[in-house]
Structure formats: C-alpha cells, structure tokens
C-alpha cells in the first residue's frame, strides 16, 4: 500500500502547488499526483497552472517523494510526441521518481485548440494510438507511425531515462480498463469500483491500481463539507457529464443543484479519523493499492498535520475487509 496526496492545481497557484508537494514529502506521503488541465472546473477555483512546469519545480525541491500526472490527455491539447518528451524529461529531472498518468480527457480543457471533440469510442481509439506512439518513441531511435487519428514522422526523444516511467491509464469504464491492461503499466480511477479492477485483471493487467480518495479535513464537519462543496461540487455530476461540458460556465450550471448533503455521501469530512478511514476502506475493499488522498478542506497545512499525527499509520494498515 502506498499513500499519495492530490495536488489540485485548479484551486491553488503554481507556487502553492510546489509548497504543498514539499509539505507532502515532509508529512511522509509516498507520492503526489497533479491534475493537468487548461481550465479550472469552477470560476471560484481561479487557477490552472501548467502541470509540467510545476512538476519540474517540485522535482528540484524534493528528494524522495514520487511524482505523477493525474492525469494527462496525450492526444488532443497535446500531441503524444510532446508528452513522450515531457514525461522522459520529468523522469530525468526527478531522478526517476515519475509516473505518467494518462486518460482520454475532458472537453473543458481539450477543446481549446479548436480541435473537434470526439465521441468516447473515438477518444479511446486515439488513446490507444497515443500510447503506441509514446512507447515507440521511448524505444529509441528515429521513429515514424501512421495511425487512423495520430501520426509521427522521423521523431526521436534523445533524453530517455533508464528505467522508463511507468504509465498509469485512467478508466471510467471497462473498455478503458482494458486499454490500461494492454498498453499501460497501472490503472487509475476516481471511484471505488470493483468492475474496473476486474476488467483490468481479466485483460491481463497486473500493475498498481491508483485511486483518488475524497477527503475533507477541518476542525468541524460543517466547515469541511462547506469547503468540499465549494471546491468539488462538480464531482457528483459524474464522468459522463464532466467529460462533455465545453466551458466553466456549463460546469457552474450543471452543479447548481448539487447540495452539501450530496458531498457528505462521498467525502470523509471533518476532524474524525474514523470518517476518513471509512472512505479509504471502500477503495481498499475494491482492490486499489495506491491511494491518492484528496483534501477538499479549507486548510492544507491542517490536513498535513492531521495525516502525520492521526491518519498515516492507520490508513497504511488498511486491508480488504472481505
């Protein structure tokens, strides 16, 4: 079991993301993973720094903690050749402490180049091709590839780490979980779903299974839930909504009727360590062994202290209850 910390780049400045990563290392987390979006989800977030620059700064300021993207879409806003180069460089700058997390993206951040937003089936085809291109470029030498959607011509990534970064593929359904098994090294999810683990394993997946665990620490439950509602009320809308909305105003409209009570059904909220452990246990029971803890509460430093003094030892000791 490894425990990570979610760097939520939409709610904090790039400088604060670096500071939080340093604090996460000091608090004993095993890894940090950072969102890679062009836009924030909500107007109130107010930030969305460039993840790759932030990762480079974190690599320079830390010594032990592992880094990951959570996750990058490698085929619309970025070309996979650029992602292959960026990931290889980040792995070198961090002394091989990097995992490339990838997924099929959301329209909110990928439409900004003016490219067409494909249907899910086509996005999965593109993701397969993007992963094939990244693997090809990481094999060294000049490479060309011509797929149905994506191509490279005489491209070479000259600075390659040894070993190469692992690739964790995000899945919101069984088809993406199969892609993770066939072309990735690990699975990445945001819900405690056993069907995704089953689909991953059935397709031959044997790697790490990453999951984001929704928590919100504050001195009172009311404070924690209010902060979770302010920062993460887009979450209960579900992936089918989140992936398709084109701009922040649409997300604001879609979340208008999300209540604080809805957040209480998902988040471990407040000062009680048992509430946090109960939410984490759901993911352990579902088969996940890399838990990235989200703190939707109002006080990051308070959460780091809570993790260090009360949560860390107990969450690491969790085992499946069935």
């Amino acid at each position: 079991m490894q425990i990570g910390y979610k760097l939520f780049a939409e709610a904090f400045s790039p400088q604060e993301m670096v500071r939080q990563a340093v604090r996460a290392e000091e608090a004993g987390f095993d890894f940090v993973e950072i969102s890679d979006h062009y836009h924030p989800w909500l107007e109130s977030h107010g930030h969305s720094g460039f993840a790759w620059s932030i990762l480079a700064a974190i690599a320079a300021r830390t010594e032990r903690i592992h880094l990951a993207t959570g996750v990058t879409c490698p085929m619309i806003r970025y070309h996979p050749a650029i992602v292959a180069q960026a990931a290889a460089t980040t792995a070198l700058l961090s002394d091989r402490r990097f995992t490339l997390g990838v997924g099929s993206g959301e329209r909110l951040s990928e439409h900004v180049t003016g490219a067409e937003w494909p249907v899910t089936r086509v996005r999965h085809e593109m993701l397969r091709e993007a992963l094939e291109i990244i693997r090809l470029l990481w094999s060294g030498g000049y490479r060309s590839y011509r797929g149905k959607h994506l191509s490279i011509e005489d491209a070479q990534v000259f600075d390659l780490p040894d070993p190469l970064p692992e690739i964790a593929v995000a899945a919101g359904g069984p088809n993406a979980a199969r892609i993770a098994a066939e072309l990735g090294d690990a699975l990445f999810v945001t819900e405690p779903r056993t069907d995704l683990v089953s689909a991953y394993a059935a397709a031959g997946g044997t790697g790490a299974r990453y999951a984001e665990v929704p928590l919100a620490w504050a001195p009172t439950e009311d404070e924690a839930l209010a902060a979770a509602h302010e920062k993460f009320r887009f979450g209960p809308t579900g992936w089918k909504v989140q992936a398709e909305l084109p701009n922040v105003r649409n997300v604001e409209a879609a979340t208008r009727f999300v209540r604080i009570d809805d957040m209480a059904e998902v988040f471990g909220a407040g000062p009680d360590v048992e509430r946090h452990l109960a939410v984490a246990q759901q993911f352990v029971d579902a088969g996940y062994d890399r838990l990235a803890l989200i703190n939707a509460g109002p006080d990051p430093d308070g959460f780091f202290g809570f993790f260090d003094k009360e949560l860390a030892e107990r969450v690491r000791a969790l085992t499946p209850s069935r």
Side-chain angles (χ1 to χ4, degrees):
M1 177 76 71
Q2 291 187 15
I3 308 300
Y5 178 75
K6 172 72 174 185
L7 294 169
F8 189 53
E10 293 87 336
F12 300 97
S13 70
Q15 301 95 315
E16 175 63 11
M17 289 290 84
V18 176
R19 190 193 74 84
Q20 287 186 22
V22 172
R23 286 287 293 114
E25 182 172 69
E26 293 169 348
F29 281 95
D30 299 305
F31 66 94
V32 292
E33 53 104 346
I34 188 169
S35 47
D36 182 3
H37 295 147
Y38 194 90
H39 289 145
W41 293 99
L42 301 167
E43 294 284 358
S44 59
H45 287 158
H47 299 280
S48 195
F50 188 56
W52 296 96
S53 297
I54 297 171
L55 285 167
I58 293 170
R61 292 280 305 278
T62 57
E63 297 179 357
R64 173 195 55 80
I65 199 165
H66 204 82
L67 318 178
T69 48
V71 293
T72 290
C73 178
M75 73 269 185
I76 300 177
R77 176 168 45 109
Y78 300 124
H79 190 280
I82 303 304
V83 174
Q85 183 188 37
T89 299
T90 303
L92 289 169
L93 290 173
S94 63
D95 195 22
R96 287 76 174 172
R97 292 181 286 130
F98 178 68
T99 294
L100 174 61
V102 299
S104 57
E106 305 91 18
R107 188 179 180 188
L108 177 68
S109 287
E110 303 307 320
H111 82 284
V112 297
T113 64
E116 178 186 356
W117 180 241
V119 297
T120 302
R121 175 185 55 79
V122 174
R123 296 202 300 272
H124 285 167
E125 291 175 355
M126 296 176 74
L127 181 59
R128 283 183 174 276
E129 292 187 6
L131 290 169
E132 289 173 355
I133 287 171
I134 291 169
R135 295 288 193 194
L136 184 63
L137 288 170
W138 283 358
S139 68
Y142 284 99
R143 299 293 179 174
S144 297
Y145 175 102
R146 188 156 303 278
K148 181 178 178 182
H149 306 286
L150 298 166
S151 300
I152 54 172
E153 187 70 32
D154 289 338
Q156 179 174 352
V157 177
F158 277 82
D159 291 292
L160 290 172
D162 182 18
L164 294 165
E166 289 194 340
I167 299 177
V169 180
N175 186 43
R178 288 188 285 271
I179 295 174
E182 294 165 16
L183 294 170
D185 302 298
L187 177 68
F188 189 107
V189 307
T190 58
E191 300 173 274
R193 289 173 52 181
T194 57
D195 64 315
L196 300 180
V197 172
S198 297
Y200 177 65
T206 59
R209 299 173 298 281
Y210 289 83
E212 292 185 345
V213 180
L215 307 178
W217 181 88
T220 70
E221 182 179 348
D222 287 345
E223 288 177 87
L225 288 174
H229 184 263
E230 179 186 6
K231 290 187 179 76
F232 279 87
R233 64 181 180 275
F234 62 89
T237 62
W239 201 250
K240 290 184 179 180
V241 173
Q242 294 169 27
E244 304 299 334
L245 297 178
N247 58 55
V248 176
R249 293 185 299 275
N250 296 133
V251 181
E252 292 280 2
T255 62
R256 181 180 301 176
F257 302 106
V258 176
R259 307 163 302 163
I260 287 181
D261 287 350
D262 297 322
M263 309 308 293
E265 294 177 4
V266 178
F267 279 78
D272 184 357
V273 68
E274 299 298 337
R275 294 284 302 276
H276 295 260
L277 290 169
V279 173
Q281 184 70 58
Q282 297 175 42
F283 290 87
V284 174
D285 287 344
Y288 298 96
D289 57 9
R290 301 289 189 275
L291 305 186
L293 308 186
I294 295 170
N295 174 42
D299 179 6
D301 289 303
F303 178 75
F304 287 129
F306 170 69
F307 176 79
D308 185 27
K309 295 175 183 177
E310 300 187 55
L311 185 59
E313 184 176 344
R314 294 189 63 187
V315 75
R316 290 186 192 282
L318 292 177
T319 58
S321 58
R322 59 179 183 272

